[in-house]
Amino acid sequence: MRQSNRRPSPLLSVSVLLGALLGLAPPAAASEGPSTSAEVARLYEEASRATARYEEGRRAARLQREKVRELNRLLSEKRHEVAVLHGDLGRLASAQYRTGGGLPYTAQLLLADSPDALMRGKQVRLQADLAVNSAVVKTRRAAARLAAAKREADRAEHGLDRRLVRLAVLRRGIEQKLESAQWALQGEADRAVAAGKCRGAVRLRQPKKKASTRTWVAPVKTYELSAGFDSAGERWSRRHTGQDFAVDIGTPVRSVGAGRVASVSCGGAFGIEVLVRHPGGYFTQYAHLAAAAVEQGDKVRTGQWIGLAGTTGNSTGPHLHFETRLTRYLGSGVDPRKWLAERGVEL
């Protein structure tokens, strides 16, 4: 249960689910045919892929803009170098004119006090002239190459920006479908809770297993923490008995550790809830779900999806209410954050 009143935002939906659902395989249909739960999971998969492409395009566009800025800087430097070298050539020409550069070289030798010194000076000026000329040519070529690279980079940047606009439109369309499906799913869940009859497990194909030595994980991948353990509030008769995770409707909820499903129920203050018993006697509870993906007696592994988050029961907004208990009964709870921290999971 939580204190704040939140309606799920499509933008938050996708940002939260990007981390949670990358790599999601297409959901398996329920036995009675495709369900709203499966449709939400499918749309989450599409939203995840669309958002991943959008974020990839955004990063590429940012890097391309940085590249263009750097090319602009380098091109400006090269153009400045060309201007400086042109100035050097002008100064050389002026110096030659002032020292008799306008006279025929034979006349300069006849009029010079020291013909040898004149010859050496002429050679030095000639070498300097050639060096500056060579530098100007090289710098111009470098500037031309940079200008061509900048034109190409500009074209790439504009192409990426256009692609980003298309991806944003695609993502927004999926978000709108997802939001509609979310509330359809929640409506089904509310009707099930009102009737006090669970709809049965929604069997979703689990995400691909990755090699991991982790024994314990957080109950959701991406979240914001809201109401904490033992906090006070008008929504609770005494004190808050768990830790709330602010997530959107349909967010996959996973078992924090290996164990066996002790119960699945869909009535009362917790709405649709799953209770898992872990080796050693501890229990974890996952409440206010929109759907359960397991049934009583199922064996679950660490990180396995056991339901979809929602806002059933005594809940003012979409979130997961998570508890850790010494027994299966309410009132035996311990602080979930400390309990998970002792097992290497920092929330």
Side-chain angles (χ1 to χ4, degrees), residues 63-103:
L63 292 174
Q64 191 64 29
R65 282 190 284 271
E66 292 173 357
K67 180 180 179 180
V68 170
R69 284 196 295 270
E70 178 64 11
L71 285 171
N72 275 330
R73 185 186 67 80
L74 293 173
L75 187 55
S76 177
E77 288 180 359
K78 285 300 177 185
R79 286 171 175 166
H80 178 69
E81 289 175 17
V82 171
V84 169
L85 290 170
H86 271 296
D88 290 343
L89 279 175
R91 284 190 293 274
L92 281 172
S94 297
Q96 286 180 354
Y97 181 79
R98 287 194 304 271
T99 57
L103 292 173

Side-chain angles (χ1 to χ4, degrees), residues 8-48:
S9 156
L11 293 177
L12 178 59
S13 300
V14 175
S15 62
V16 168
L17 291 161
L18 174 60
L21 291 179
L22 283 175
L24 172 65
S31 57
E32 69 275 10
S35 66
T36 305
S37 303
E39 176 67 5
V40 169
R42 184 186 68 78
L43 286 170
Y44 269 138
E45 179 187 7
E46 288 187 13
S48 171

Side-chain angles (χ1 to χ4, degrees), residues 92 96 120-134:
L92 281 172
Q96 286 180 354
R120 287 194 298 272
K122 192 75 173 180
Q123 185 178 11
V124 169
R125 284 196 298 274
L126 179 60
Q127 291 174 343
D129 194 7
L130 290 173
V132 173
N133 266 317
S134 176

Side-chain angles (χ1 to χ4, degrees), residues 259-264 274-277 294-300 306:
R260 191 173 294 275
V261 178
S263 66
V264 177
V274 173
L275 189 68
V276 176
R277 178 186 174 91
V294 290
E295 294 178 344
Q296 183 173 341
D298 284 353
K299 187 176 180 180
V300 295
I306 58 175

